[in-house]
Amino acid sequence: MMLVITVLNLALHHTGSSGAVPITWYFMLVFLWFVVSIPLTFAGGYFAIKMPIKDHPVKTNQIPRHIPPPPLAADPWLLFFAAGILPFGTVFIELYFAMTSLWMGYFYYLFGFVLLIGTLTMIINAELSVLCTSFHRGGSVALYVAIYAFGFLLCSLTSLSGFMPVLIYLCYMTVIIFGFYLSMATVGVLSSYIFVRAIFGAIKAE
């Protein structure tokens, strides 16, 4: 994120744009990054190492077994592309209003509806991730959001002309989509982990 902001800010300064972040504000962001974010990262890693590792609810067999090849319907790439369709269908309509408010200056007031749609999207993503256990499949909805963002640029933002406005749009949307990918993937892998531990914990093995 800091790399994107740095490159974008240098490009804006080079063109003399008033949208560039002042140099004092930029160094304040860098200062906050090194003073707040990095120490918190190391502190979180330190406390994570000190925490005890959770035991598996059941014992696993030490003898490896043959795993048959998955059928075509269980192909990892097919599941990756299919897992994001339903969550994207949930946010499809609301995404248009959010994009027009963000990039076209339209007034947006349906915040309660956004909360409802966001909650529903996380629930659907969690249910799909239980079936398709993978970090990337949980975040695959971000791929469709990226395709939608590119189509929005071509169809709705026709007033954008020149290299810099398009670069600004692509850079900020890349940061937003990557954050959305990480959040949805985290929801997916946590829900899958909790579900697997719950069902195996219910097994009474001697």
Side-chain angles (χ1 to χ4, degrees):
M1 181 177 176
M2 285 300 300
L3 179 62
V4 172
I5 293 176
T6 302
V7 172
L8 188 60
N9 201 51
L10 288 175
L12 289 174
H13 269 295
H14 180 72
T15 57
S17 173
S18 59
V21 178
I23 191 68
T24 54
W25 287 23
Y26 174 77
F27 281 108
M28 286 177 62
L29 289 174
V30 175
F31 177 77
L32 289 175
W33 178 269
F34 283 102
V35 174
V36 177
S37 180
I38 293 180
L40 286 177
T41 301
F42 281 102
Y46 173 78
F47 287 112
I49 292 174
K50 296 297 182 181
M51 292 180 64
I53 300 176
K54 291 185 177 181
D55 296 328
H56 296 297
V58 294
K59 295 181 179 180
T60 57
N61 194 347
Q62 298 297 325
I63 302 175
R65 298 182 179 180
H66 175 69
I67 301 177
L72 180 61
D75 183 75
W77 284 103
L78 181 61
L79 291 177
F80 173 79
F81 289 108
I85 294 177
L86 285 178
F88 177 73
T90 308
V91 301
F92 175 75
I93 300 300
E94 198 62 26
L95 190 60
Y96 171 78
F97 294 104
M99 294 285 284
T100 53
S101 175
L102 183 62
W103 295 107
M104 302 179 70
Y106 289 2
F107 184 72
Y108 190 83
Y109 52 88
L110 301 175
F111 296 105
F113 192 66
V114 169
L115 178 62
L116 178 63
I117 292 298
T119 305
L120 185 61
T121 303
M122 287 191 294
I123 292 174
I124 293 175
N125 192 25
E127 291 177 349
L128 287 174
S129 299
V130 168
L131 301 176
C132 306
T133 307
S134 173
F135 183 83
H136 299 293
R137 291 171 199 163
S140 62
V141 61
L143 174 65
Y144 295 96
V145 176
I147 296 173
Y148 182 89
F150 188 73
F152 187 84
L153 173 65
L154 297 178
C155 300
S156 299
L157 297 179
T158 55
S159 59
L160 288 182
S161 60
F163 175 73
M164 283 308 301
V166 176
L167 178 64
I168 292 172
Y169 174 83
L170 293 177
C171 287
Y172 281 123
M173 286 307 301
T174 300
V175 173
I176 293 172
I177 291 169
F178 184 67
F180 186 67
Y181 166 78
L182 291 179
S183 60
M184 288 293 102
T186 303
V187 169
V189 75
L190 284 178
S191 59
S192 177
Y193 175 75
I194 294 171
F195 175 77
V196 170
R197 285 190 63 90
I199 61 173
F200 278 97
I203 299 175
K204 295 182 180 180
E206 297 296 335

